[in-house]
Amino acid sequence: GMGGNPLGSSRIIILVINGIEDRGAETNPEGFYSFSNVTADVGYIILVYISGDAIKGNTITMANGLDIAGLDIYGSTITLRHETADPVSNSTLAAAKGDLTDTDILYTVTGSDMAANASIHIAPGMTFAPGGNIELSGSWVNSGTFDPGNALVRFNGSGDIISGGSHFYDMSLENSSGSWSPNDTLTVDNDFTMTGGTMTVDAGGVAIGGDFLQSGGLFISDPATSFSVGGSFAVTGSGIFRRFAGSGTSNDPYLVADVYGLQSVKYYLSSYFRLSSSIDASSTEGWNNGAGFVPLGNGLSPFTGSFEGDDLQITNLTINTDSDYAGLFGYIYNGAQVSNLRLINVNVGGGNGVGGLAGVNSGSISNSSSSGRVSGASYVGSLAGYNYSSGTITASSGSGLASGSGDGVG
């Protein structure tokens, strides 16, 4: 007998063996189903699915020649299991479906790649080793083991991401109206890509071994969770990355605790900020394909807010761009304030208007300092590249090497 999860009564369950429809059964009043006198030798691939119902669900397993109990089916979900020692793969799924085209079977396999119009659930004690890429429209629920190889897992819907302790290799979020949330620590050994939607990380944490590439959407990282990127951190296009506590007001400023939170200032240029711990920005050397940290504000969208450094330090910041307005702050505008901030060992290169703390200042810089290497064309300075008449710089200093090819260098 099979089936240990109440589905509701009078639902039709279809049994498929090695890609051939075998028979159907109806769930009993308690919502259970069973098939008797089934020939399923060791290694036979079994698919059971709900047929002709608003609720759809599939479960796949590999037989071991014995009775199978508890072959549960969950709504809008493909459940993967195996009674044998071998893990489930995308080729298992292809063999389970055979040439059947019933849309109640919620996946297709093309070559070695699988696309699921559903959530994917790896059952407890089971292993999924796809041997190809995966696309899914729902949640990822790993209660067993996921062995990704070099697979890309593409999320094109919405849902929760439960890693269950297993790593991903490549992951992408690709739905402009999608929303996702990890329920535990998300580890991606290679690259993470996001083109749209909303990713909210308020549990566990995120560890990306390779590159973090966000070209769209909103990525919200709760600073109470861990976040790390081993390769390039690049947020481009319409992408917005956010990682700080607080609400951005003068009474409750955004708290910047690490280099990712520091880069997040770029998207909230009119808000109030306070540095809550010193930051080692060494990793910025590898960001944005070598261009490094993206300056906070520019000629079109200057920084108009307030940044309180609390006498803390930002060390080893790298900016390597051809653009004007290069510095931790590209352009500090009229009325904006930066105070009590220490930059140490900056390495800033840009076009015109290049400084360690500010490329261009027409606001207020106070009790701040910058040391390191600064280079550009015209208007290059250790602290600020160019200071407009409306700009004030008090009790602040710059030191190190400032070099340029044009006017106003020093």
Side-chain angles (χ1 to χ4, degrees), residues 2-7 13 31-33 48-50 57-61 68-75 77-81 83 121 123-124:
M2 298 185 261
N5 192 52
L7 292 167
I13 310 300
F32 293 94
Y33 73 92
V48 287
Y49 68 91
I50 305 169
N58 306 169
T59 297
I60 290 96
T61 193
I68 301 171
L71 200 57
D72 298 345
I73 306 173
Y74 300 93
T77 302
I78 299 165
T79 298
L80 307 177
R81 52 181 282 173
E83 317 308 312
H121 174 222

Side-chain angles (χ1 to χ4, degrees), residues 258-324:
D258 63 17
V259 70
Y260 305 104
L262 187 65
Q263 185 67 92
S264 301
V265 174
K266 173 177 183 279
Y267 308 102
Y268 302 90
L269 292 168
S270 62
S271 297
Y272 289 80
F273 296 91
R274 184 160 66 82
L275 202 56
S276 60
S277 64
S278 288
I279 292 172
D280 181 353
S282 298
S283 65
T284 56
E285 185 179 3
W287 286 12
N288 292 295
N289 296 317
F293 186 88
V294 178
L296 306 175
N298 55 36
L300 293 174
S301 303
F303 180 71
T304 58
S306 170
F307 193 99
E308 168 57 58
D310 254 8
D311 288 321
L312 295 168
Q313 300 174 353
I314 297 171
T315 52
N316 307 316
L317 180 74
T318 293
I319 297 170
N320 181 23
T321 178
D322 297 327
S323 301
D324 301 338

Side-chain angles (χ1 to χ4, degrees), residues 167-171 186-192 206-210:
H167 295 192
F168 292 87
Y169 180 74
D170 283 327
M171 172 187 285
L186 173 63
T187 304
V188 180
D189 289 337
N190 198 43
D191 297 340
F192 173 93
V206 174
I208 311 297

